[in-house]
Amino acid sequence: MIRAGIIGATGYAGGELVRLLLGHKETEIVWYGSRSYVDKKYASVYQNMFQIVDAACLDDNMEELAKQADVIFTATPQGFCASMINEEILSQAKVIDLSADFRIKDVKIYEEWYKIEHKAPQYLDEAVYGLCELNREKVKKARLVANPGCYPTCSTLSIYPLVKEGLIDPATIIIDAKSGTSGAGRGAKVDNLYCEVNENIKAYGVAGHRHTPEIEEQLGYAAGEPLVLNFTPHLVPMNRGILITAYASLKKEVTYEEVKAVYDKYYEKEQFVRVLDKDVCPQTKWVEGSNYVDVNFKIDPRTKRIIMMGAMDNLVKGAAGQAVQNMNLLFGLNEATGLQQVPMFP
Amino acid sequence: MIRAGIIGATGYAGGELVRLLLGHKETEIVWYGSRSYVDKKYASVYQNMFQIVDAACLDDNMEELAKQADVIFTATPQGFCASMINEEILSQAKVIDLSADFRIKDVKIYEEWYKIEHKAPQYLDEAVYGLCELNREKVKKARLVANPGCYPTCSTLSIYPLVKEGLIDPATIIIDAKSGTSGAGRGAKVDNLYCEVNENIKAYGVAGHRHTPEIEEQLGYAAGEPLVLNFTPHLVPMNRGILITAYASLKKEVTYEEVKAVYDKYYEKEQFVRVLDKDVCPQTKWVEGSNYVDVNFKIDPRTKRIIMMGAMDNLVKGAAGQAVQNMNLLFGLNEATGLQQVPMFP
Amino acid sequence: MIRAGIIGATGYAGGELVRLLLGHKETEIVWYGSRSYVDKKYASVYQNMFQIVDAACLDDNMEELAKQADVIFTATPQGFCASMINEEILSQAKVIDLSADFRIKDVKIYEEWYKIEHKAPQYLDEAVYGLCELNREKVKKARLVANPGCYPTCSTLSIYPLVKEGLIDPATIIIDAKSGTSGAGRGAKVDNLYCEVNENIKAYGVAGHRHTPEIEEQLGYAAGEPLVLNFTPHLVPMNRGILITAYASLKKEVTYEEVKAVYDKYYEKEQFVRVLDKDVCPQTKWVEGSNYVDVNFKIDPRTKRIIMMGAMDNLVKGAAGQAVQNMNLLFGLNEATGLQQVPMFP
Amino acid sequence: MIRAGIIGATGYAGGELVRLLLGHKETEIVWYGSRSYVDKKYASVYQNMFQIVDAACLDDNMEELAKQADVIFTATPQGFCASMINEEILSQAKVIDLSADFRIKDVKIYEEWYKIEHKAPQYLDEAVYGLCELNREKVKKARLVANPGCYPTCSTLSIYPLVKEGLIDPATIIIDAKSGTSGAGRGAKVDNLYCEVNENIKAYGVAGHRHTPEIEEQLGYAAGEPLVLNFTPHLVPMNRGILITAYASLKKEVTYEEVKAVYDKYYEKEQFVRVLDKDVCPQTKWVEGSNYVDVNFKIDPRTKRIIMMGAMDNLVKGAAGQAVQNMNLLFGLNEATGLQQVPMFP
């Protein structure tokens, strides 16, 4: 049994990690870390766990946790993992960081976009960006995995093949993203109150959202050179789900079949990326509660652009599910262990 | 492997059966019956099943299905199962009927409330009312199980112990129920359009809802004599979930501990009924996607009444989950096989 | 022009007062009071008011406000108005208090249910309970109006005629209420976050909600003697709207026509209470944004009970709209001035 | 009093016209036309109108209606108005068509995108495209007004000034639009059921939505030459509201102030277009129930693009409100008559 510890277990991503790990036959949770709820029964914070989880919350002492666990998930605010990580911890436990601390290789870009000093730049090189579909082999050998952001996961998987194969002009990429409200976290803020979000839609972080450089870095690897793009997230009145609609100019005339073949080349063998049938648009509800990313595209011959779409559950493939997928890779398990939930509809 | 066939597989309860049976290790689905979608890929009707279910829909030929399956689920309109069932079918396959056809023992009451003629009253005696927590032993030996209605499941489980133990006056029971919209089915009706249901709440079927006699029959068994009660369902703008709030006069002064002991007597060993901690009110979100029923109560010394509350997922414990629970009993499996989903929150 | 001042203008009820008063031709708002947002542009707190309201927020100095206004609305937490009110204020301006401070005549009951000391019990006698339909003449002559609570408004109007005319047994009244989330206010609390409320329903304050004694007092006047009843509120995933479903035993057999005649006796001439047609159940969406209360009933001959239903917008008739209705009465205007919004659907 | 007749009064846009015209002091509604509900009380179709509208529905006899009305609103499916309109009708009443029949000047483009034959191309020249902010003077003199589509209204107003002033390259315009579900109409379709829309977001009509050529035509006038663009609508789980997020490449470096000045040049004197303060993103909830369009923009110096945003209520400024605005122009009234609703929040 893999002994798993979670720091930040009472946030939405942390709660989803608990849900998934409870259904994972090779894992037991040994540490429910939550600075805000120390000593409180975990099931009194998330009553869905009543009679399922008996443990009380512990603190966020990562060093102590490293002694008791084989893997540590940090579902914590930016900066926490970087400020705690050290050689001793890494020698005792694998670390999967769900924050952004180790996603961006260039510390200057990190500090510029996140407005905080990076406390452990010495681990940036070693950390593996845990987008399993792209970095599977590297993850298997890692000590420290940077679990990708929700928007970057959906955006990168939807666009990557066309950049990599040179079908689209990387300088023309525009990503218009829509997310459910769980992405905003469980902090008590007026902006996230029911009455403020319900019956409403808005863009936020326009031309400045922190996930932008993360997407640019990943697509830049595909392009073979740096790129800049537009990324605009929107807040949608629903609990879960991310949809991205991306636009780019085609480099040459292509047929549906040619583009489909490119997607299939990358995803045909992937368990969690589904390239939908022709003309079927991804819907977030079709992946809810599951680790799937549904992708598809539409060629617009009038404008010579292609519209790429992707849908996933932000808390699963966009956070906790991908973290478990990474854990499976780290420990040599079948990548889909504990992740075979059928999406729930309606 | 149990070979399962579903008639009515493209309704919401049918879709949920598919979701649950796909995660059930002892079962394979051999028949996706759907009169409206014959020959259409099942996964094109429910795109969440894309790359998970490859089969096309078949018709509703129950006689043919009985030859190919060990168990038949009829998630069909009232009257269908009663009009099809016969000795040949029952000699070949177990039948779990999710409609109301075999729930009410008195054919006159059925015909009065459902306004249709009962085509197979000869099976009413044999049919077992599949509320597992109450009729477990009978279900194990049945050929034909009448899967309980959603409201009756939640109502009966929330109230039964107090009637059975004589703590409340059965003549004073009032049930105020609230349901998500999936309970209204997938038929295209103006009343169920998004814009009609959203931002709205209403009662319906006041003093005339068909689930009333079903609840009365079950609680009547507990009381040892017939009873009448008020049952008022309401439509709530959410997909899943039923909450019932029930009221009754206490026969004598009781303490919290005394009432808690009564609930515990009936449910302590039950896997799917959770009696919550003192003063914690059930919430539908805490059971979403799972087979749990959360119950609790509050004594009001001022009015000498007790308020009983219950929450469950109408599509799981209120339909497909309970049907699978019944199947497990019918085939000698652990009752919780395939039903150990942790509720999804948020 | 009536000069109106609002203390608590940045809560949801305060915001609704602003919306309604801006459309009221005889009024101008002279004071947008908000302790949390002093000096901030009102339209930056409620961006719907952009280019409509130019003023900045002022503090909650009620004495200073009294010098500048003809009427003061206090949409403030319990205790504020009672702690501020004095003879000087009342000699300069009419006061309409949207809190509970002056709704309950018995100071002991107030202090027991609200758990705070009443700072101005000397005004309890003078204060008029501003349920216009019942106390119209008294309101006209008042200096201090206690604007009714949202649940009490809907409950009392739905039940009052049948108690007053002796058709139902007051000892049997049970009120099951459902409210949209704006009733919980704009404070930043985890419980009111979008993801906690959405796709969820729960009861709260069971057997202990503060609106209980207010309803009991008003219906007690109708009964001619004190009564106790059960009142259970529920939180519904929608912004606005209250629905109450009330139950009581009929004292004798009655026909639909007889009961209808009783409702008509009280409401036929009322502009804001609509007794719906036979068998039509009130829906909150049909009154959204308006000052209407829709009521109806259903006799259940089986249980000899009657089910009474009422729907209204909690922020309009349940708060700001009724406050404006009271203001109109206080200043001798047509009661419906500024309140003739047609409900918005969908 | 202007006598107004509505054909299609029981659709959502028709219902909104009724709501607005009932609050319009210079108008009386003389004809509630609805093919589906002839002879049925209008208030039984829209119960929000109970005791407000007493009339029953009439048929869709436009010739007869023209004799009784000064203005006819056709809130009908594509093709209806074109098949009915004639000289006699136009000689008796002004016609405001809320369908697409007369919005596109080139009959070939209309027939290609709408897949129906145009039955009255002879009126295409005469018809005035009723986007009041752009065509105010022409509308005043029109007999036949083509009321703009919802997406085109929001898109055109958000982008027009920058095209007209040459700040952006028209060949690079991409519009990503999000709409509430009332835009899909009141027809009973599975796709618009509550459970299909709720907790879900999807794109639809990708690279083929009928509003595309309408937007292209209007922005083409601004550009001085034909253009093609990408337009992708999305269905959002809310009743009302359209948000558009548009992208285009800047032709040269510009400052915030320069762009702001361009928007102000076009909208400073407009009553219904609000250019928000710097960095404030439009939200649909802030315009709900009102005739406002809120617009704003953000310059992205990294990509040399500008992001333009616009929010409005699809049923008001996107349909019925704009139709009333056009009626006011046609009859020489103040343009804002009956349209001064303050947006409702929350």
Side-chain angles (χ1 to χ4, degrees):
Chain A
M1 290 295 265
I2 303 166
R3 296 166 304 156
I6 303 166
I7 301 185
T10 52
Y12 289 141
E16 190 70 355
L17 261 172
V18 172
R19 180 175 82 92
L20 294 173
L21 291 176
L22 288 172
H24 190 290
K25 280 160 297 174
E26 313 287 335
T27 315
E28 62 173 331
I29 304 175
V30 298
W31 190 290
Y32 295 83
S34 172
R35 190 181 293 185
S36 317
Y37 296 98
V38 176
D39 291 339
K40 217 175 157 183
K41 281 258 186 182
Y42 187 74
S44 73
V45 180
Y46 282 123
Q47 292 268 358
N48 52 325
M49 302 295 180
F50 186 68
Q51 295 183 357
I52 299 173
V53 174
D54 196 47
C57 293
L58 298 172
D59 62 21
D60 53 6
N61 185 334
M62 202 163 166
E63 297 211 342
E64 178 54 33
L65 168 52
K67 294 176 190 150
Q68 303 183 21
D70 302 306
V71 61
I72 297 172
F73 296 94
T74 47
T76 43
Q78 321 306 336
F80 175 86
C81 188
S83 71
M84 291 292 167
I85 198 92
N86 60 39
E87 206 50 35
E88 200 190 338
I89 289 172
L90 285 171
S91 70
Q92 295 170 316
K94 306 274 188 182
V95 173
I96 300 173
D97 178 26
L98 280 78
S99 86
D101 287 1
F102 297 99
R103 293 179 193 157
I104 293 171
K105 291 296 176 197
D106 185 332
V107 67
K108 275 188 211 148
I109 292 180
Y110 174 88
E111 294 185 341
E112 184 190 329
W113 287 79
Y114 284 89
K115 315 284 183 212
I116 51 174
E117 187 194 348
H118 200 296
K119 295 292 176 60
Q122 69 274 24
Y123 289 111
L124 281 171
D125 261 2
E126 175 183 350
V128 175
Y129 187 75
L131 191 52
C132 312
E133 287 73 14
L134 303 185
N135 294 334
R136 185 168 285 125
E137 295 312 314
K138 284 187 195 160
V139 171
K140 288 179 184 173
K141 293 173 286 190
R143 295 195 300 176
L144 171 57
V145 173
N147 209 57
C150 52
Y151 288 123
T153 296
C154 197
S155 300
T156 305
L157 289 173
S158 300
I159 301 170
Y160 188 91
L162 301 195
V163 177
K164 184 77 177 171
E165 298 292 317
L167 265 66
I168 57 177
D169 176 359
T172 63
I173 298 171
I174 289 170
I175 303 169
D176 192 283
K178 298 91 179 165
S179 175
T181 305
S182 58
R186 213 189 188 198
K189 291 181 196 164
V190 168
D191 279 358
N192 296 335
L193 289 177
Y194 183 82
C195 289
E196 309 285 318
V197 172
N198 189 41
E199 293 294 289
N200 197 6
I201 185 168
K202 65 172 177 186
Y204 65 98
V206 181
H209 192 277
R210 295 162 167 194
H211 283 175
T212 311
E214 185 181 338
I215 302 169
E216 288 176 348
E217 180 173 333
Q218 295 305 316
L219 293 181
Y221 295 144
E225 56 179 7
L227 57 81
V228 292
L229 51 76
N230 274 99
F231 169 71
T232 315
H234 297 76
L235 189 67
V236 180
M238 58 186 192
N239 286 350
R240 289 169 178 249
I242 279 182
L243 181 75
I244 73 104
T245 314
Y247 304 83
S249 293
L250 289 160
K251 281 189 173 169
K252 54 171 183 177
E253 248 181 63
V254 288
T255 65
Y256 168 79
E257 288 71 22
E258 287 166 336
V259 179
K260 179 67 160 58
V262 166
Y263 275 104
D264 284 344
K265 173 177 170 187
Y266 286 83
Y267 298 137
E268 203 163 30
K269 293 180 184 162
E270 290 297 337
Q271 300 185 60
F272 295 123
V273 184
R274 304 192 292 192
V275 184
L276 300 183
D277 286 340
K278 196 178 180 192
D279 289 333
V280 177
C281 292
Q283 303 189 17
T284 58
K285 191 68 185 149
W286 291 339
V287 292
E288 189 175 322
S290 83
N291 203 47
Y292 290 109
V293 184
D294 283 0
V295 301
N296 213 348
F297 64 91
K298 182 87 185 178
I299 297 164
D300 187 352
R302 298 168 67 252
T303 62
K304 299 183 174 50
R305 292 195 193 101
I306 189 164
I307 300 104
M308 296 154 281
M309 294 165 278
M312 63 167 207
D313 186 320
N314 59 306
L315 291 180
V316 189
K317 183 62 176 170
Q322 186 146 258
V324 171
Q325 196 180 351
N326 277 308
M327 182 192 76
N328 289 338
L329 289 172
L330 287 173
F331 289 85
L333 303 176
N334 180 319
E335 195 171 326
T337 308
L339 293 173
Q340 286 165 322
Q341 294 82 2
V342 175
M344 200 163 84
F345 183 94
Chain B
M1 290 296 265
I2 303 165
R3 296 166 304 157
I6 303 167
I7 303 186
T10 52
Y12 289 140
E16 191 70 355
L17 262 173
V18 172
R19 179 176 81 93
L20 295 175
L21 291 175
L22 288 171
H24 190 291
K25 281 160 297 176
E26 311 288 333
T27 314
E28 63 173 331
I29 303 174
V30 298
W31 189 289
Y32 295 82
S34 172
R35 192 181 291 184
S36 317
Y37 296 98
V38 176
D39 291 339
K40 219 176 158 183
K41 282 259 188 181
Y42 186 75
S44 74
V45 180
Y46 283 123
Q47 293 268 359
N48 52 325
M49 303 295 179
F50 186 68
Q51 293 184 357
I52 300 174
V53 175
D54 196 49
C57 294
L58 299 173
D59 62 21
D60 53 7
N61 185 335
M62 201 163 166
E63 297 211 343
E64 179 55 32
L65 167 52
K67 294 176 190 149
Q68 303 183 20
D70 303 306
V71 60
I72 297 172
F73 297 92
T74 47
T76 43
Q78 320 306 335
F80 175 86
C81 187
S83 72
M84 290 292 168
I85 198 92
N86 60 37
E87 207 50 35
E88 201 190 337
I89 290 172
L90 285 173
S91 69
Q92 296 170 317
K94 305 273 188 185
V95 172
I96 299 172
D97 178 25
L98 281 78
S99 87
D101 286 1
F102 298 99
R103 293 179 193 156
I104 292 171
K105 291 296 175 196
D106 185 333
V107 68
K108 275 186 211 150
I109 292 180
Y110 174 90
E111 294 186 341
E112 185 190 326
W113 287 79
Y114 284 88
K115 315 284 182 212
I116 51 173
E117 189 195 347
H118 200 296
K119 294 294 178 59
Q122 68 274 22
Y123 290 110
L124 282 172
D125 262 3
E126 175 184 350
V128 174
Y129 187 74
L131 192 51
C132 313
E133 286 74 12
L134 302 186
N135 295 333
R136 185 167 285 126
E137 295 313 313
K138 284 187 194 159
V139 170
K140 288 179 182 172
K141 294 173 289 192
R143 295 195 300 176
L144 172 57
V145 173
N147 208 57
C150 51
Y151 289 123
T153 295
C154 197
S155 301
T156 304
L157 289 173
S158 300
I159 302 171
Y160 188 91
L162 300 195
V163 176
K164 185 76 177 174
E165 298 292 317
L167 265 67
I168 56 176
D169 175 0
T172 64
I173 298 171
I174 289 171
I175 303 169
D176 192 282
K178 298 89 179 167
S179 175
T181 306
S182 58
R186 213 190 189 198
K189 292 180 196 164
V190 168
D191 279 357
N192 297 334
L193 289 177
Y194 183 82
C195 290
E196 310 284 318
V197 172
N198 188 41
E199 292 296 289
N200 197 5
I201 184 167
K202 65 172 177 186
Y204 65 97
V206 181
H209 192 277
R210 294 162 167 195
H211 282 175
T212 311
E214 186 180 338
I215 303 169
E216 288 175 348
E217 181 173 334
Q218 296 304 316
L219 293 181
Y221 296 144
E225 56 179 6
L227 56 79
V228 293
L229 51 75
N230 273 99
F231 168 72
T232 314
H234 297 75
L235 190 67
V236 179
M238 58 185 193
N239 286 348
R240 288 167 178 249
I242 278 182
L243 181 75
I244 71 105
T245 315
Y247 305 85
S249 295
L250 289 160
K251 281 190 174 168
K252 53 170 184 177
E253 249 182 60
V254 287
T255 64
Y256 168 78
E257 287 71 22
E258 286 166 336
V259 179
K260 179 67 160 55
V262 166
Y263 274 104
D264 284 344
K265 174 178 169 185
Y266 286 82
Y267 298 137
E268 205 162 28
K269 294 181 183 159
E270 289 297 336
Q271 300 185 61
F272 295 123
V273 184
R274 304 191 293 193
V275 184
L276 301 182
D277 286 340
K278 197 178 179 193
D279 289 333
V280 176
C281 291
Q283 302 190 16
T284 58
K285 192 68 184 148
W286 291 339
V287 292
E288 189 174 322
S290 83
N291 203 47
Y292 290 109
V293 183
D294 283 1
V295 300
N296 213 347
F297 65 91
K298 183 86 185 178
I299 297 164
D300 187 352
R302 298 169 67 252
T303 61
K304 299 183 175 48
R305 291 195 192 99
I306 189 164
I307 299 104
M308 296 154 282
M309 294 166 277
M312 62 168 208
D313 186 321
N314 59 306
L315 291 179
V316 188
K317 182 64 178 170
Q322 185 145 259
V324 171
Q325 196 179 351
N326 276 309
M327 182 192 77
N328 289 338
L329 289 173
L330 287 173
F331 289 86
L333 303 175
N334 180 319
E335 197 172 324
T337 308
L339 293 172
Q340 287 166 320
Q341 294 81 4
V342 175
M344 199 164 87
F345 183 94
Chain C
M1 290 297 265
I2 303 166
R3 296 165 304 156
I6 303 168
I7 303 185
T10 54
Y12 288 141
E16 190 70 355
L17 262 172
V18 172
R19 180 176 80 93
L20 294 174
L21 292 175
L22 288 172
H24 190 291
K25 280 160 297 176
E26 312 287 334
T27 314
E28 62 174 329
I29 304 175
V30 298
W31 188 289
Y32 295 82
S34 171
R35 190 181 292 185
S36 318
Y37 296 99
V38 175
D39 290 339
K40 216 174 159 183
K41 281 258 188 181
Y42 187 75
S44 75
V45 180
Y46 283 123
Q47 293 267 359
N48 53 324
M49 303 295 180
F50 186 68
Q51 293 184 357
I52 300 174
V53 174
D54 196 48
C57 293
L58 299 173
D59 62 21
D60 52 7
N61 186 334
M62 201 163 166
E63 297 211 343
E64 177 56 33
L65 168 52
K67 294 178 190 147
Q68 303 184 22
D70 303 305
V71 61
I72 298 172
F73 296 93
T74 48
T76 44
Q78 320 307 334
F80 176 86
C81 188
S83 70
M84 290 291 167
I85 198 93
N86 60 38
E87 206 52 35
E88 199 189 336
I89 289 171
L90 285 173
S91 69
Q92 294 170 317
K94 305 273 188 183
V95 173
I96 299 173
D97 178 26
L98 281 77
S99 86
D101 287 1
F102 298 99
R103 292 178 193 158
I104 292 171
K105 290 296 176 198
D106 185 331
V107 69
K108 276 186 212 151
I109 292 179
Y110 174 88
E111 295 185 341
E112 184 190 327
W113 289 79
Y114 284 89
K115 315 285 183 213
I116 51 173
E117 188 195 347
H118 200 297
K119 295 293 178 56
Q122 69 274 24
Y123 290 110
L124 282 172
D125 261 2
E126 174 182 351
V128 174
Y129 187 74
L131 192 51
C132 313
E133 285 74 12
L134 302 185
N135 294 333
R136 184 168 284 125
E137 295 312 315
K138 285 186 193 159
V139 171
K140 288 180 183 171
K141 293 173 287 192
R143 295 194 301 175
L144 171 58
V145 173
N147 208 57
C150 51
Y151 288 124
T153 296
C154 197
S155 300
T156 304
L157 289 173
S158 300
I159 301 170
Y160 188 92
L162 300 196
V163 176
K164 184 78 177 172
E165 298 291 316
L167 264 66
I168 56 177
D169 176 359
T172 64
I173 298 171
I174 289 170
I175 302 170
D176 192 282
K178 298 91 180 167
S179 174
T181 306
S182 58
R186 213 189 188 199
K189 291 181 197 166
V190 169
D191 279 358
N192 297 333
L193 289 177
Y194 183 82
C195 288
E196 310 284 319
V197 172
N198 189 40
E199 292 296 288
N200 198 5
I201 184 167
K202 65 173 177 186
Y204 65 97
V206 181
H209 192 278
R210 294 164 167 193
H211 283 173
T212 311
E214 184 180 340
I215 303 169
E216 287 176 349
E217 179 173 335
Q218 295 305 316
L219 292 182
Y221 297 143
E225 56 180 5
L227 56 82
V228 292
L229 51 75
N230 274 100
F231 168 70
T232 315
H234 297 75
L235 189 68
V236 179
M238 57 184 194
N239 286 350
R240 289 167 179 249
I242 278 183
L243 182 74
I244 71 105
T245 315
Y247 304 85
S249 294
L250 289 160
K251 281 190 175 167
K252 53 169 185 178
E253 248 182 61
V254 288
T255 64
Y256 167 79
E257 287 72 22
E258 287 166 337
V259 179
K260 178 68 160 57
V262 165
Y263 275 105
D264 284 346
K265 173 177 168 186
Y266 286 83
Y267 298 138
E268 205 162 30
K269 293 181 184 161
E270 290 297 337
Q271 299 185 61
F272 295 122
V273 184
R274 305 192 291 193
V275 184
L276 300 183
D277 285 341
K278 196 177 180 193
D279 289 334
V280 176
C281 291
Q283 303 189 17
T284 57
K285 192 68 185 147
W286 291 340
V287 292
E288 189 174 322
S290 83
N291 203 47
Y292 289 109
V293 184
D294 282 2
V295 300
N296 213 346
F297 64 92
K298 182 86 184 178
I299 297 164
D300 186 352
R302 298 169 67 252
T303 61
K304 299 185 174 49
R305 293 196 191 98
I306 189 164
I307 300 103
M308 296 154 281
M309 295 166 277
M312 63 167 209
D313 186 321
N314 59 305
L315 291 180
V316 188
K317 183 62 177 171
Q322 186 145 259
V324 171
Q325 197 179 350
N326 277 309
M327 182 192 77
N328 289 337
L329 288 173
L330 287 173
F331 290 86
L333 303 175
N334 180 322
E335 195 172 326
T337 309
L339 293 172
Q340 287 165 321
Q341 294 81 5
V342 175
M344 199 164 85
F345 184 95
Chain D
M1 291 293 267
I2 303 166
R3 296 166 304 156
I6 303 166
I7 302 186
T10 54
Y12 288 141
E16 191 69 355
L17 261 172
V18 171
R19 179 176 83 92
L20 294 174
L21 292 176
L22 288 172
H24 190 291
K25 280 159 296 176
E26 312 287 334
T27 314
E28 63 174 331
I29 304 175
V30 298
W31 189 289
Y32 294 84
S34 172
R35 191 181 292 183
S36 317
Y37 295 99
V38 175
D39 290 339
K40 217 174 157 183
K41 281 259 187 180
Y42 186 75
S44 73
V45 180
Y46 283 123
Q47 292 269 358
N48 53 324
M49 302 294 180
F50 186 68
Q51 293 184 357
I52 301 174
V53 174
D54 196 48
C57 293
L58 299 173
D59 62 20
D60 53 7
N61 186 335
M62 201 164 166
E63 298 211 342
E64 178 56 32
L65 167 52
K67 293 176 190 149
Q68 303 184 20
D70 302 306
V71 61
I72 298 172
F73 296 94
T74 48
T76 44
Q78 321 306 335
F80 175 86
C81 187
S83 71
M84 290 291 167
I85 199 92
N86 61 37
E87 207 51 35
E88 201 190 335
I89 289 171
L90 285 172
S91 70
Q92 294 169 316
K94 305 274 188 183
V95 172
I96 300 173
D97 178 26
L98 280 78
S99 87
D101 286 2
F102 297 99
R103 294 178 193 158
I104 292 170
K105 290 295 176 199
D106 185 331
V107 67
K108 275 186 212 151
I109 291 180
Y110 174 89
E111 294 185 341
E112 185 190 326
W113 287 78
Y114 284 88
K115 315 286 184 210
I116 51 173
E117 187 194 349
H118 201 295
K119 294 294 178 58
Q122 69 274 23
Y123 290 111
L124 281 172
D125 262 3
E126 174 183 350
V128 175
Y129 187 74
L131 191 51
C132 313
E133 286 74 12
L134 302 186
N135 294 334
R136 184 168 284 124
E137 295 312 314
K138 284 186 195 159
V139 171
K140 288 179 181 171
K141 294 172 286 190
R143 295 195 300 175
L144 171 58
V145 173
N147 209 57
C150 52
Y151 288 124
T153 296
C154 196
S155 301
T156 305
L157 290 172
S158 301
I159 302 170
Y160 188 92
L162 301 196
V163 176
K164 185 76 177 174
E165 298 292 316
L167 265 66
I168 57 177
D169 175 0
T172 65
I173 297 172
I174 289 171
I175 303 169
D176 192 283
K178 297 90 179 166
S179 174
T181 306
S182 59
R186 214 191 187 196
K189 290 180 197 166
V190 168
D191 279 358
N192 297 334
L193 289 178
Y194 183 82
C195 289
E196 310 285 319
V197 172
N198 188 41
E199 292 296 288
N200 198 6
I201 184 167
K202 66 173 178 186
Y204 65 97
V206 181
H209 192 278
R210 295 163 167 193
H211 283 174
T212 311
E214 185 180 338
I215 303 169
E216 288 176 348
E217 180 173 335
Q218 296 304 317
L219 293 181
Y221 296 143
E225 56 181 3
L227 56 83
V228 292
L229 51 77
N230 274 101
F231 169 71
T232 315
H234 297 75
L235 190 67
V236 179
M238 58 185 193
N239 286 349
R240 289 167 178 249
I242 279 181
L243 181 75
I244 72 105
T245 315
Y247 305 84
S249 295
L250 289 160
K251 281 189 173 168
K252 53 170 185 177
E253 248 181 63
V254 287
T255 64
Y256 168 79
E257 288 71 22
E258 286 166 336
V259 180
K260 179 66 159 59
V262 166
Y263 275 105
D264 285 344
K265 172 176 169 187
Y266 286 82
Y267 298 137
E268 204 162 30
K269 293 181 184 161
E270 289 297 336
Q271 301 186 58
F272 294 123
V273 184
R274 304 191 291 193
V275 184
L276 300 183
D277 286 341
K278 196 179 180 192
D279 289 333
V280 176
C281 291
Q283 302 190 17
T284 57
K285 192 69 185 146
W286 291 340
V287 293
E288 190 175 320
S290 83
N291 203 46
Y292 290 108
V293 184
D294 282 2
V295 300
N296 212 347
F297 64 92
K298 182 87 185 176
I299 297 164
D300 186 353
R302 298 169 67 251
T303 61
K304 299 186 173 47
R305 292 195 191 101
I306 189 165
I307 300 103
M308 297 154 280
M309 294 165 278
M312 62 166 210
D313 186 321
N314 59 305
L315 291 180
V316 187
K317 183 62 177 173
Q322 185 145 261
V324 171
Q325 196 180 350
N326 276 309
M327 182 192 77
N328 289 337
L329 289 173
L330 287 173
F331 289 86
L333 303 175
N334 179 320
E335 196 171 326
T337 308
L339 293 173
Q340 286 165 321
Q341 294 81 3
V342 175
M344 198 164 86
F345 184 95

